[in-house]
Amino acid sequence: MKQNDYVISIGRSFGAGGRAIGRELCSKLDIPFYDNELLMEAAQEFGFSPQIFARADERKPSFLRRLVTQSYGVQENYITATISTESLYQAQSQVIRAIASRGPCVIIGRTADYVLRDHPGLLKVFVHAPLAFRARKIVERGDAPSEVEAIELARQKDRRRQEYYNYFTGREWGTAANYDLTLDSSMLPSDESAEVIIFYLKKILKI
């Protein structure tokens, strides 16, 4: 492995600030950041509608089939054969691998830790925080009008991510044993959390 051949994958609980920490990492390390942009690139590269591809993100297969059937009146057997979530997942996985082959980057979610499990320079991080802390952050950024609603939203999002991750990987989402490093984002600001990850990166991968 080359000295600078590494990828940081970040799994995250909803509202824990995994995306913010990822952006801090990219700023400090001067490397690319991939989140929603990854979906759009995958959709365009493999000929899928970016809108449908984005709406299928981190959801189990049944959701996409129901979505397209209701929206476009397409027969389910046709959907299963042509644009099933499984095929979208495979397309997305190919793009994740292609991106990782270009050089260092941070990838948020999308089971990147599993897709790149054979990458010698992969650092797998999971960001979490107490529910009350996340609820406050969710309200502050305008995703919910109250902490009560924010808690319900966080639970829904976490459940969806867990189902998606478990379905495609056969692993347990958020379980510490599946990651190299887990961080409670309520303990440190995003920039300091990023510094912890960089320290770990340098020590473990000898970057």
Side-chain angles (χ1 to χ4, degrees):
M1 184 183 75
K2 297 179 182 178
Q3 185 179 18
N4 290 326
D5 184 17
Y6 65 90
V7 176
I8 303 171
S9 67
I10 299 181
R12 72 284 184 228
S13 297
F14 186 76
R19 183 181 288 104
I21 292 172
R23 289 195 179 278
E24 287 283 355
L25 279 168
C26 291
S27 176
K28 292 175 182 294
L29 295 170
D30 191 25
I31 60 176
F33 174 86
Y34 293 98
D35 187 9
N36 291 332
E37 297 90 340
L38 173 62
L39 291 177
M40 295 304 170
E41 181 174 344
Q44 294 169 359
E45 184 170 340
F46 289 92
F48 295 106
S49 164
Q51 291 78 18
I52 293 177
F53 195 96
R55 293 186 70 177
D57 176 47
E58 295 190 320
R59 297 174 186 267
K60 286 176 66 177
S62 59
F63 173 82
L64 180 63
R65 293 172 186 148
R66 184 170 65 253
L67 167 70
V68 182
T69 302
Q70 292 173 349
S71 300
Y72 302 101
V74 182
Q75 294 293 325
E76 174 146 349
N77 59 356
Y78 176 78
I79 297 164
T80 302
T82 56
I83 55 170
S84 68
T85 306
E86 290 92 340
S87 65
L88 292 178
Y89 180 78
Q90 292 304 316
Q92 178 177 280
S93 297
Q94 290 181 47
V95 174
I96 289 173
R97 295 188 191 100
I99 287 171
S101 71
R102 296 172 186 166
C105 63
V106 170
I107 302 177
I108 306 295
R110 284 75 194 174
T111 74
D113 61 296
Y114 177 76
V115 173
L116 298 175
R117 60 193 179 278
D118 296 325
H119 192 295
L122 176 65
L123 180 65
K124 300 168 290 185
V125 179
F126 191 86
V127 179
H128 60 94
L131 191 54
F133 174 86
R134 293 192 282 143
R136 290 194 297 273
K137 292 296 183 181
I138 291 167
V139 172
E140 287 173 10
R141 70 192 194 192
D143 286 345
S146 71
E147 291 189 16
V148 171
E149 291 170 284
I151 287 173
E152 180 58 28
L153 177 62
R155 286 173 173 162
Q156 290 176 1
K157 293 283 190 177
D158 284 354
R159 183 167 57 251
R160 185 176 298 157
R161 289 174 180 176
Q162 181 182 41
E163 290 174 350
Y164 178 89
Y165 183 92
N166 293 0
Y167 178 87
F168 282 110
T169 70
R171 299 178 177 181
E172 289 294 326
W173 176 82
T175 298
N178 292 328
Y179 307 91
D180 301 309
L181 181 65
T182 61
L183 287 176
D184 182 342
S185 59
S186 70
M187 305 296 289
L188 294 170
S190 295
D191 61 335
E192 294 183 25
S193 293
E195 290 291 351
V196 170
I197 295 172
I198 291 171
F199 176 82
Y200 196 89
L201 178 74
K202 291 179 177 178
K203 286 292 185 179
I204 300 303
L205 298 182
K206 312 299 182 185
I207 301 302

